[in-house]
């Protein structure tokens, strides 16, 4: 499950804490995580060690000056020397730790630090018995001791027992000394000291707990972010990181006379392998190929003056490979190396399977100047290779894009679809997992072309976003969804809430708030029944922060769509009062058979609960997925297990049937 690469382990080394019952992880992984938590806490101690000794020196000098001529030198000077030797020991321990931290166990370093800190605390305890009789001097001595106690309390955050030990060593002798004096003044000082130590220990306890909780949240966010950007099956970087790699490659070869290749490497006959041998066999085959590719990448990295192979995966059976740097005439030779990886069969349960691939290649400079064009052209070349029967290599050529006029025709038809009302809104139920009842629906657009019939949103939504037509289309969907929801309210289904997606170009409309207000006013729908869905990447754009605040002012609900597929932390969930996280269906699909999917979904639900944010799982298709989500405490679901998206008439019939999950189980 939690099998991170060495690079990833280094990246999260300082952010590890996990509550075991929130994830299904192995015993070995629990031990590893606990060690990383301990390492972070000890590192935190030592990071504050040197500043502590530096600040302790002037305080010690101030105490020496305060006591001088009021405490016998025969006692004061040996104390001062011993105190500074203790500080010197703590300073030396700091430098020894930084040099040899990996050579000794964490427990050894913790014991060493605790012993030296306790010795320093004893020095301050001895100081109590040297306090002069002069009331003014005593006043300054008390201030110094309270400052030191504060320093020990804050400097031991993360190690509560060490705080309690050192604070007791420092303050208890002072309390005893005051009560032995017996006057009202000293009794007051002693009582205040007891209250003070309790206050500082309490602060340390709360801060320690907060520190550990913060580590836990950092870890879970890091795990989710890491696995959202890596393929769950192969642990390879996925398509979300690929554009970054291409941009880095562009910077690396620019103005050098070199180029690099983007290879779309797609395995053939995977559907047949899955059908004949089972999906587990198909997954094992893909893992085997990814291991061969990784071995090639490692060998290329170790070789000097050689092109490097950077391996990523974009679809389950398709790898994207960067070969950088190279000369244009070297491209064929380097790509042919990939074919040689498939010479030997892959053995699945002692059965050898011969694997072939179709490859498309685009070259930087010749076939594109940016990540998007290079990827599109490599993909187009790969599909051309498949059209020619597969098991072949195709370099991108301009003729491959001869189909572009059809794309222009589709764009023209898209304009006509808006004018001629060819769009329909379908609704997919959102079901409360606790009650099993339909509590709302997501509005989804469908296009009924007069000659082509239904056109999938996969084909026209990207085009609409590219051309800007998504703005009027999005407004129409919102208006139609609100109108229909109000109609259902009037029929007696008064608790239904409709969810509408907002595209990034819609978020950049200056008139978006006015449009929403007009839609709500014209349809008569109360704002609390409209939920806006925004992607994780869009919500982090600083330019839309004011919009989010306006959404909340209007009383709209706000959901983060496809949660887990972005790069962000969790701070925005509270910052913007997010109401709901929609767990991307790519994570739900393999539950409960895939441990990595279990890890991600469990983490998202656990984090959402801590932040008092509801969760909705997309793409629920099986009873096993449903049962897992209910057991983990997910709040809502949508998916084909309950209902596919349907038109308004069919949705009305569904509501009237009062269908629930309980009846389907």
């Amino acid at each position: 499950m939690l099998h991170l690469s060495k690079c990833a382990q280094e990246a999260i080394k300082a952010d590890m804490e996990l509550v075991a019952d929130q994830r299904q992880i192995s015993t070995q992984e629990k031990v590893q995580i606990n060690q990383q938590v301990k390492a972070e806490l000890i590192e935190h101690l030592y990071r504050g060690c040197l500043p502590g000794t530096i600040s302790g020196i002037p305080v010690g000098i101030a105490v020496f000056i305060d006591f001088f001529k009021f405490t016998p030198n025969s006692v004061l000077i040996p104390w001062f020397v011993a105190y500074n030797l203790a500080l010197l020991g703590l300073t030396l321990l700091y430098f020894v730790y930084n040099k040899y931290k990996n050579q000794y166990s964490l427990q050894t370093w913790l014991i060493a630090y605790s012993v030296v800190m306790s010795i320093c605390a004893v020095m301050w305890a001895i100081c109590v018995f040297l306090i002069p009789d002069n009331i003014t001097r005593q006043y300054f001595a008390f201030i110094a001791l309270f400052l030191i106690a504060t320093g020990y309390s804050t400097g031991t955050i993360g190690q509560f027992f060490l705080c309690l030990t050192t604070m007791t060593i420092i303050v208890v002798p002072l309390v005893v000394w005051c009560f032995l004096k017996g006057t009202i003044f000293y009794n007051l000082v002693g009582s205040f000291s007891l209250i003070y130590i309790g206050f500082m220990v309490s602060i340390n306890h709360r801060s320690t707990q907060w520190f550990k909780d913060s580590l836990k949240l950092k870890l879970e966010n890091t795990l989710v972010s890491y696995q959202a950007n890596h393929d769950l099956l192969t642990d390879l970087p996925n398509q979300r990181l690929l554009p970054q790699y291409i941009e880095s490659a562009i910077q690396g070869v620019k103005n050098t006379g070199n180029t690099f290749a983007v290879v779309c490497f797609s395995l053939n006959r995977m559907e047949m392998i899955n059908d004949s041998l089972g999906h587990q066999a198909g997954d094992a085959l893909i893992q085997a190929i990814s291991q061969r590719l990784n071995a090639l990448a490692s060998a290329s990295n170790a070789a000097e003056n050689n092109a490097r192979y950077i391996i990523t995966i974009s679809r389950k059976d398709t790898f994207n490979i960067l070969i950088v740097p190279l000369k244009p005439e070297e491209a064929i030779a380097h790509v042919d190396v990939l074919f040689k990886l498939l010479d030997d069969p892959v053995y699945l349960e002692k059965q050898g399977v011969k694997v072939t691939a179709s490859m498309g290649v685009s070259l930087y400079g010749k076939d594109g100047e940016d990540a998007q064009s290079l990827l599109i052209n490599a993909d187009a070349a790969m599909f051309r290779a498949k059209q020619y029967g597969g098991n072949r290599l195709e370099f991108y050529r301009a003729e491959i894009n001869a189909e572009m006029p059809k794309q222009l025709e589709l764009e023209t038809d898209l304009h006509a679809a808006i004018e001629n009302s060819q769009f329909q809104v379908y609704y997919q139920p959102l079901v409360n997992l606790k009650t099993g009842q339909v509590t709302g629906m997501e509005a989804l657009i469908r296009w009924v072309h007069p000659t082509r019939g239904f056109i999938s949103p996969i084909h026209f939504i990207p085009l609409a976003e590219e051309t800007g037509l998504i703005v009027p289309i999005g407004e129409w969907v919102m208006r139609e969804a609100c109108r229909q929801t109000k109609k259902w309210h009037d029929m007696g289904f008064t608790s239904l809430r409709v969810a509408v997606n907002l595209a990034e170009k819609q978020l950049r409309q200056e008139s978006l708030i006015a449009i929403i207000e007009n839609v709500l006013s014209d349809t008569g729908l109360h704002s609390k029944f409209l939920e806006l869905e925004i992607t994780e990447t869009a919500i982090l754009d600083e330019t839309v922060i004011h919009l989010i605040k306006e959404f909340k002012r209007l009383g709209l609900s706000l959901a983060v769509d496809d949660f887990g597929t972005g790069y962000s932390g969790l701070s925005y969930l509270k910052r913007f009062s997010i109401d709901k996280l929609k767990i991307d269906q790519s994570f739900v699909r393999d539950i409960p058979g895939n441990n990595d999917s279990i890890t991600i979904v469990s983490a998202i639900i656990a984090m959402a609960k801590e932040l008092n944010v509801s969760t909705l799982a997309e793409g629920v298709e099986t009873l096993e997925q449903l049962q897992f989500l209910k057991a983990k405490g997910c709040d809502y679901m949508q998916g084909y297990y309950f209902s596919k998206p349907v038109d308004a008439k069919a949705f009305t019939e569904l509501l009237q049937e009062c269908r629930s999950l309980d009846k389907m189980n």
Side-chain angles (χ1 to χ4, degrees):
M1 297 173 61
L2 183 60
H3 300 300
L4 304 185
S5 64
K6 183 177 180 181
C7 178
Q9 288 175 353
E10 287 296 321
I12 64 174
K13 182 178 179 181
D15 299 322
M16 292 271 174
E17 162 111 359
L18 188 64
V19 177
D21 62 358
Q22 289 183 339
R23 294 183 188 273
Q24 299 179 16
I25 60 175
S26 68
T27 302
Q28 181 181 358
E29 288 164 343
K30 291 178 185 178
V31 172
Q32 177 188 355
I33 290 170
N34 287 333
Q35 284 295 101
Q36 288 169 319
V37 171
K38 192 171 184 178
E40 168 61 25
L41 296 177
I42 293 173
E43 182 73 20
H44 172 73
L45 285 181
Y46 277 92
R47 280 199 301 266
C49 177
L50 193 59
T53 58
I54 292 174
S55 61
I57 291 173
V59 176
I61 294 173
V63 169
F64 180 83
I65 295 173
D66 186 48
F67 287 15
F68 189 68
K69 293 185 178 180
F70 290 86
T71 301
N73 288 342
S74 59
V75 177
L76 181 61
I77 292 176
W79 168 83
F80 187 66
V81 171
Y83 166 73
N84 282 282
L85 287 175
L87 287 184
L88 178 62
L90 190 59
T91 304
L92 290 175
L93 181 62
Y94 168 80
F95 290 106
V96 171
Y97 169 79
N98 282 313
K99 187 173 182 180
Y100 300 106
K101 66 171 69 175
N102 296 324
Q103 296 185 19
Y104 298 95
S105 68
L106 296 175
Q107 190 63 25
T108 299
W109 290 117
L110 179 59
I111 292 174
Y113 187 87
S114 300
V115 168
V116 178
M117 281 287 281
S118 297
I119 292 173
C120 292
V122 168
M123 293 299 101
W124 288 111
I126 294 173
C127 170
V128 171
F129 300 102
L130 306 181
I131 295 178
D133 292 332
N134 183 281
I135 192 70
T136 302
R137 303 282 173 162
Q138 288 179 357
Y139 175 76
F140 288 116
F142 293 153
I143 292 176
L145 287 171
F146 290 142
L147 286 174
I148 291 299
T150 302
Y152 272 85
S153 174
T154 56
T156 55
I157 289 175
Q159 298 292 341
F160 177 71
F161 181 75
L162 179 59
C163 167
L164 190 62
T165 301
T166 53
M167 291 286 285
T168 300
I169 292 173
I170 294 171
V171 181
V172 168
L174 176 62
V175 173
V176 173
W177 181 84
C178 288
F179 286 149
L180 287 176
K181 287 286 186 178
T183 65
I184 294 177
F185 172 75
Y186 290 113
N187 286 336
L188 288 174
V189 173
S191 300
F192 174 78
S193 300
L194 283 175
I195 296 172
Y196 186 77
I197 188 174
F199 177 69
M200 297 309 296
V201 167
S202 176
I203 288 178
N204 180 278
H205 182 268
R206 290 196 300 272
S207 299
T208 294
Q209 192 59 47
W210 175 87
F211 186 48
K212 290 182 178 180
D213 289 344
S214 296
L215 287 176
K216 181 187 68 174
L217 286 175
K218 286 180 183 179
L219 168 65
E220 300 212 359
N221 182 41
T222 303
L223 291 177
V224 170
S225 296
Y226 174 83
Q227 296 199 38
N229 295 310
H230 289 75
D231 179 61
L232 299 181
L233 181 64
T234 63
D235 202 35
L236 289 172
N238 62 22
Q239 70 271 23
R240 300 181 187 100
L241 291 181
L242 182 56
Q244 300 177 32
Y245 293 161
I246 295 178
E247 291 299 330
S248 297
I250 291 173
Q251 297 304 317
V253 303
K254 188 177 289 186
N255 303 323
T256 65
N258 290 325
T259 185
F260 65 88
V262 178
V263 183
C264 187
F265 179 101
S266 181
L267 300 177
N268 298 322
R269 303 186 306 146
M270 283 304 302
E271 184 175 352
M272 186 188 72
I273 292 172
N274 287 329
D275 290 342
S276 59
L277 300 179
H279 285 273
Q280 280 189 328
D283 290 347
L285 187 148
I286 292 170
Q287 287 176 321
I289 298 302
S290 71
Q291 289 168 6
R292 294 183 185 184
L293 290 169
N294 275 330
L296 172 64
S298 298
S300 70
N301 292 343
E304 295 183 0
N305 301 320
N306 198 10
R308 297 175 55 213
Y309 291 78
I310 301 172
I311 315 298
T312 70
I313 188 167
S314 59
R315 296 185 289 274
K316 194 168 186 179
D317 59 354
T318 302
F319 301 87
N320 283 114
I321 303 162
L322 303 186
I323 308 176
V324 58
L326 49 75
K327 301 293 184 183
E329 60 272 16
E330 300 172 344
I332 293 179
H334 284 294
V335 176
D336 279 341
V337 173
L338 298 173
F339 271 122
K340 293 178 182 178
L341 295 178
L342 305 178
D343 287 345
D344 296 330
V346 177
Y347 287 91
L348 304 174
E349 297 182 354
K350 299 182 180 181
Q351 178 180 350
V353 178
K354 178 63 177 177
V355 185
T356 63
S358 301
M359 280 186 260
V361 182
S362 63
L363 297 177
Y364 170 70
K366 173 178 173 291
D367 302 322
E369 300 283 345
D370 56 71
Q372 184 177 11
S373 59
L374 288 168
L375 286 170
I376 290 173
N377 291 339
D379 208 42
M382 183 272 294
F383 278 111
R384 175 57 61 94
K386 281 188 178 290
Q387 289 174 353
Y388 285 147
N391 195 25
R392 62 180 288 140
L393 166 66
E394 284 285 333
F395 279 82
Y396 174 76
R397 304 184 307 278
E399 305 88 74
I400 292 177
N401 285 335
E403 295 291 317
M404 285 301 295
K406 292 185 178 180
Q407 192 77 353
L408 295 175
E409 182 182 344
L410 184 64
E411 181 179 341
T412 302
D413 289 349
L414 197 56
H415 283 277
I418 298 174
E419 297 174 1
N420 299 326
S421 302
Q422 295 174 5
F423 293 117
Q424 293 183 13
V425 176
Y426 274 44
Y427 302 90
Q428 186 167 36
L430 308 181
V431 182
N432 187 313
L433 283 174
K434 293 180 180 178
T435 65
Q437 300 298 317
V438 175
T439 59
M441 54 278 169
E442 180 179 3
L444 302 168
I445 190 169
R446 295 293 183 265
W447 182 8
V448 185
H449 193 279
T451 58
R452 300 184 189 181
F454 273 94
I455 297 179
S456 171
I458 297 175
H459 295 132
F460 72 84
I461 289 297
L463 181 60
E465 291 178 341
E466 181 182 348
T467 59
L469 292 175
I470 195 66
V471 172
I473 291 174
E475 180 181 347
W476 179 84
V477 170
M478 182 185 296
R479 185 175 297 275
E480 178 63 18
C482 290
R483 183 197 64 78
Q484 182 62 55
T485 302
K486 182 62 169 64
K487 185 176 180 180
W488 282 321
H489 283 185
D490 294 340
M491 294 172 62
F493 304 107
T494 56
S495 63
L496 289 179
R497 175 182 293 173
V498 65
V500 178
N501 286 278
L502 284 183
E504 291 192 29
K505 286 195 175 181
Q506 288 179 272
L507 292 172
R508 285 161 177 73
Q509 285 181 272
E510 293 184 1
S511 59
L512 178 60
I513 298 300
I515 289 173
I516 295 174
E517 289 177 328
N518 288 337
V519 166
L520 294 172
S521 175
D522 293 345
T523 61
L525 183 69
H526 194 284
S527 60
K528 70 179 180 180
F529 296 111
L530 175 59
E531 180 174 272
L532 302 179
E533 295 184 2
I534 304 176
T535 62
E536 189 175 5
T537 51
I539 205 170
L540 294 172
D541 189 337
E542 291 295 322
T543 61
V544 302
I545 290 177
H546 73 284
L547 278 177
I548 295 172
K549 294 179 179 178
E550 287 295 301
F551 295 158
K552 303 310 292 186
R553 178 186 65 81
L554 292 175
L556 304 169
S557 296
L558 194 60
V560 179
D561 199 12
D562 302 332
F563 182 77
T565 61
Y567 307 97
S568 62
L570 297 173
S571 58
Y572 70 88
L573 296 180
K574 281 298 184 185
R575 181 183 179 190
F576 299 130
S577 299
I578 301 300
D579 301 291
K580 183 185 295 178
L581 299 182
K582 297 191 68 176
I583 305 172
D584 189 65
Q585 60 182 338
S586 63
F587 302 134
V588 177
R589 185 180 302 122
D590 296 331
I591 289 173
N594 187 291
N595 288 335
D596 292 316
S597 295
I598 289 174
T599 298
I600 292 179
V601 174
S602 299
I604 292 174
I605 295 173
M607 288 187 294
K609 284 186 176 298
E610 290 189 28
L611 297 170
N612 198 28
V613 177
S614 63
T615 50
L616 181 148
E618 299 178 294
V620 179
E621 297 182 354
T622 67
L623 177 60
E624 290 77 13
Q625 293 170 351
L626 176 68
Q627 291 173 337
F628 172 85
L629 293 166
K630 289 180 70 173
K632 287 296 179 180
C634 184
D635 300 297
Y636 303 95
M637 63 79 76
Q638 70 180 98
Y640 277 39
Y641 180 76
F642 185 84
S643 172
K644 65 181 181 179
V646 295
D647 60 22
K649 180 180 178 181
F651 195 88
T652 302
E653 294 173 354
L654 184 150
L655 292 173
Q656 291 171 338
E657 291 174 5
C658 298
R659 193 192 324 178
S660 72
L661 282 176
D662 292 334
K663 294 181 180 179
M664 298 180 67
N665 292 345

